[in-house]
Amino acid sequence: MVEPITTIKVQMAVWQRSATAVSLVFWSFPLKPSSRTLMFSSASLSLSSSRRALTSLLHKSTMATSASASGGSTSSTRHTNRLASEHSPYLLQHAHNPVDWYPWGEEAFQAARTRDVPIFLSIGYSTCHWCHVMEVESFEDEDVAKLLNDWFVSIKVDREERPDVDKVYMTFVQALYGRGGWPLSVFLSPNLKPMMGGTYFPPDDKYGQPGFKTVLRKVKQAWDTKKETLEMGGTLAIDQLTEALTASAKSTKVSDDLAHRCLKQCVDQLTSSYDPKFGGFGSAPKFPRPVEDCVMLYQQMKLMESGEDSEARELMRMVTHTLQCMARGGIHDHVGGGFHRYSVDECWHVPHFEKMLYDQGQIVNVYLDTFLITGDSFYSSISRDILDYLRREMIGKEGEIYSAEDADSYEHEGASRKKEGAFYIWSSEEVDEILGENANLFKDHYYVKSSGNCDLSRMSDPHGEFKGKNVLFERRPISYMASKHGMSLDEYSKILGDCRRKLFVERSRRPRPHLDDKVIVSWNGLVVSALARASQILELEPKDIMFHFPVVGSAPSEYLQVAEKAVSFIRGKLYDQSTHRLQHSFRNGPSKAPGFLDDYAFFVSGLLDLYEYGGNTNWLQWAIQLQSTQDELFLDREGGGYFNTPGEDPSVLLRVKEDHDGAEPSGNSVSAINLIRLASLVGGDRADTYKQTAEHLLAVFESRLTEQSMAVPLMCCAADMLSVPSRKQIVLVGDKEATQYKEMLATAFASYDPNRTVVQVDPKDAEEIDFWEKTNPNIAQMACSGPPDLPAVAHVCQNFMCSPPVTSSDELKNILKKK
């Protein structure tokens, strides 16, 4: 169990607007531990409604839509600051602001100490729409720049390059206001303690909110008159957040019924928030949160195993409806493939147009799992759609996979300002001109109208930004529309595919959104997992399946090659062979930041999938080594669980044990599953150690799993995986290039089963046999005991016993069907 925390009072600065003036006050409020929210997850902090009201006076939500919003830098190059020598695309976007920016580092800290002035810290990322807005409105403004340069030391941080720094100050802002986002704007003392902050500030006072200039003047005034109080409050805030976020477990064990309780509760909470009309969980704005679908699919498997078929089918219906609505919605890029970040409305129609790599990899895996369960190639084709988009647009010459594409772009060459979605939206006239005789069919299918189609919800386009423009959207399934037009499904699908290709060619002539070509290890790990799994799962598609643009329809094995090339890039560029450590990211060279927990956890997960689905033992060896390094750098051996940073940088004031499974899963959730998987691959004491580490980790978060399970859906799955008495193990021995071997391998992966481990061994490969003799002698014995002339032999071990070896895919299929 987690050590209970008594009520915490944190004194922090907030803005309070009276009827006549904006003044700086201090607000003391309790951070109540009854929900354990603050302990582990800065992403789920909550405050009372009265404090939410205070928040609204401070800043806008970064998810809001504004009629005045525009993106991209138009700053003159007559200004150049220190960011010009950085590699981060986000920092380089601000290299010619009149603000005298510093990158995060000792030079900036020393300047603040020497001048005895506060630090203004601005955190964002290169594809962030509202970051662009604040840059144009404030950071390119000479008057704002003068205030910042005269009164502050200004630091710019790329949150994707330094997630550790972002975590500290995002946690502070969310603890203070109950919400956060980017751009993140925080004022620090010279010793880096946060004093006050918010997100986006408009440049001038309006809508009852203080403008950025007002904020700067008030902070300056407070610093001049109340400096000691401000510094003391910042120190107190960090001390108390540190205490709250450093959780330990009293026991290394979890309750016997934890897995059942947390899994059921999580699914019950999700189903209560399910949207029966448009799918998804919760209301607008709607974000893809693949971990929600993961826990629903996992629970339906458990229900099927226990004979509760109707309940399982109901969960499956919710997942399939959600995935169908997402795929038909504007959040899906129908012309180029892949998914945008989120939908501003409840019907998945009008998206926030940036594309993030971490979404793509996770969404692929959910569609692949759904294909395994349903056998419906609709889901496999969406997986291909995403992966083919990545191959087309997001992969470098050496196999590296880039991070993101911007929401904003220029409408045409020579335009002065970027606009959100300009690259992706269409007028009815454009569609007519490009598609000719098929234009009406296409417009009917994708709800294209001369007046614009962003009218399905009052939230889709509240300020009329997309008037006369269309975000492609399928209101009806393709089978219905084909019947409506009196065509066969194949004929209709081909016409739509040809139309999409023509629009793609035309769209390619438009100014492209900015590409963030930074390579992040953790996000590459998520995509490597998807690519590896696709290489086998897609072998189950019907042989006569038809593919239409933007799906390429390549051989599934090609996805494995893409995955291995991406992993090889990271091994060559971001891995130190002598220390066995990863660096976090790469752009024109490795970043200064070390690898963080998510980098190790997500990448180890990717390597495990690359081994299981591809069979190269080198990747499994590396996964085992990286797990050892992860334990060395991040594991709290006394208290349990993993910290998010190595704790070696004194400028990073919080070392958090994160558990929240949000847009990205938490490093602790993924690590728990990695440990369980590794325990089924290795033998002896090492396997026991992996299991014990996983259980101790779950013990740290037992209260969270019990009380707020919906916040940790993937960890709920991990808890159940650990409770399974005997993980199913399929050991496939033989010639990996033989047809019979490949058929049996496809059979091994032909069903959805997260509690399965597949081991591939070539008994004639001396290096592989040597590896298994050292790692798991039982597997080495299986590999060497069979007839040497057979192309493939499978051993299935479950329920603490192994079946007699089988030599055909049909025999293997029959064994795997048995419960």
Side-chain angles (χ1 to χ4, degrees), residues 127-154:
T127 58
C128 165
H129 172 68
W130 283 95
C131 300
H132 300 329
V133 174
M134 193 165 178
E135 179 190 9
V136 171
E137 292 179 340
S138 293
F139 302 146
E140 292 179 0
D141 184 277
E142 298 280 354
D143 293 336
V144 172
K146 180 170 174 49
L147 297 181
L148 284 169
N149 297 341
D150 288 349
W151 295 343
F152 302 90
V153 166
S154 298

Side-chain angles (χ1 to χ4, degrees), residues 15 51 53 70 88 131 175 231 236 247 282 308 402 425 468 520 546 635 643 675 677 717-718 802 806:
W15 294 102
R51 293 186 186 105
S70 60
S88 158
C131 300
E231 290 182 312
L236 179 61
E308 299 172 82
Y402 300 139
I425 58 180
I520 298 175
M546 301 288 290
L635 181 62
F643 292 104
L675 291 164
R677 295 177 68 184
C717 295
C802 294
V806 295

Side-chain angles (χ1 to χ4, degrees), residues 92 139 158 258 280 347 375 508 534 579 601-602 610 636 641 692 720 815:
L92 290 171
F139 302 146
D158 182 342
L258 173 66
C347 45
S508 298
T579 63
F602 296 3
L610 196 53
D636 181 353
Q692 291 162 7
D720 190 84
I815 292 176

Side-chain angles (χ1 to χ4, degrees), residues 463-711:
H463 300 290
E465 292 178 89
F466 301 123
K467 187 176 181 179
K469 300 293 184 180
N470 295 271
V471 178
L472 300 185
F473 179 82
E474 297 177 287
R475 298 190 72 179
R476 300 280 191 174
I478 190 170
S479 56
Y480 173 91
M481 297 300 291
S483 177
K484 175 185 174 181
H485 286 272
M487 296 183 185
S488 69
L489 185 59
D490 286 346
E491 180 187 7
Y492 188 76
S493 298
K494 183 180 184 306
I495 292 173
L496 288 180
D498 290 342
C499 289
R500 290 192 296 264
R501 187 186 298 276
K502 290 178 181 178
L503 291 177
F504 177 84
V505 171
E506 181 62 28
R507 196 175 80 173
S508 298
R509 299 188 178 105
R510 295 175 175 178
R512 290 197 64 85
H514 157 71
L515 170 68
D516 189 327
D517 57 356
K518 182 166 66 269
V519 180
I520 298 175
V521 171
S522 57
W523 298 0
N524 271 244
L526 293 171
V527 174
V528 164
S529 171
L531 287 161
R533 298 183 74 242
S535 71
Q536 284 295 333
I537 293 172
L538 295 178
E539 292 286 357
L540 301 168
E541 288 178 313
K543 299 306 177 186
D544 58 349
I545 188 171
M546 301 288 290
F547 298 107
H548 302 284
F549 192 85
V551 176
V552 174
S554 57
S557 58
E558 291 185 21
Y559 295 125
L560 185 70
Q561 296 166 16
V562 176
E564 291 188 320
K565 197 170 181 181
V567 166
S568 296
F569 177 88
I570 289 172
R571 190 176 184 99
K573 304 290 188 181
L574 289 168
Y575 178 64
D576 188 319
Q577 298 279 356
S578 60
T579 63
H580 305 300
R581 290 191 177 197
L582 293 167
Q583 291 298 109
H584 171 63
S585 62
F586 182 96
R587 187 177 186 274
N588 299 328
S591 67
K592 300 171 187 175
F596 303 111
L597 173 61
D598 287 0
D599 295 309
Y600 285 85
F602 296 3
F603 198 63
V604 166
S605 178
L607 288 172
L608 291 176
D609 282 328
L610 196 53
Y611 166 69
E612 284 200 50
Y613 288 82
N616 187 334
T617 313
N618 291 330
W619 304 132
L620 177 56
Q621 287 180 286
W622 195 19
I624 292 170
Q625 177 58 68
L626 286 177
Q627 185 63 53
S628 177
T629 305
Q630 176 183 320
D631 292 348
E632 174 191 333
L633 294 175
F634 305 98
L635 181 62
D636 181 353
R637 296 186 184 277
E638 294 297 321
Y642 291 96
F643 292 104
N644 66 328
T645 68
E648 297 169 342
D649 185 345
S651 71
V652 180
L653 304 183
L654 287 179
R655 199 175 183 215
V656 177
K657 291 180 184 176
E658 182 105 35
D659 69 343
H660 182 254
D661 296 319
E664 299 173 63
S666 80
N668 273 294
S669 295
V670 175
S671 293
I673 294 173
N674 289 346
L675 291 164
I676 294 163
R677 295 177 68 184
L678 283 165
S680 71
L681 287 162
V682 305
D685 293 342
R686 183 183 284 181
D688 293 338
T689 299
Y690 284 145
K691 285 184 178 179
Q692 291 162 7
T693 303
E695 184 166 16
H696 197 185
L697 181 159
L698 293 169
V700 172
F701 303 111
E702 182 161 354
S703 292
R704 177 80 147 155
L705 285 160
T706 301
E707 297 169 14
Q708 288 190 318
S709 54
M710 195 169 75

Side-chain angles (χ1 to χ4, degrees), residues 770-782:
D770 180 64
F771 167 79
W772 286 114
E773 286 176 344
K774 294 175 181 176
T775 306
N776 191 334
N778 290 336
I779 291 176
Q781 184 178 6
M782 285 185 200

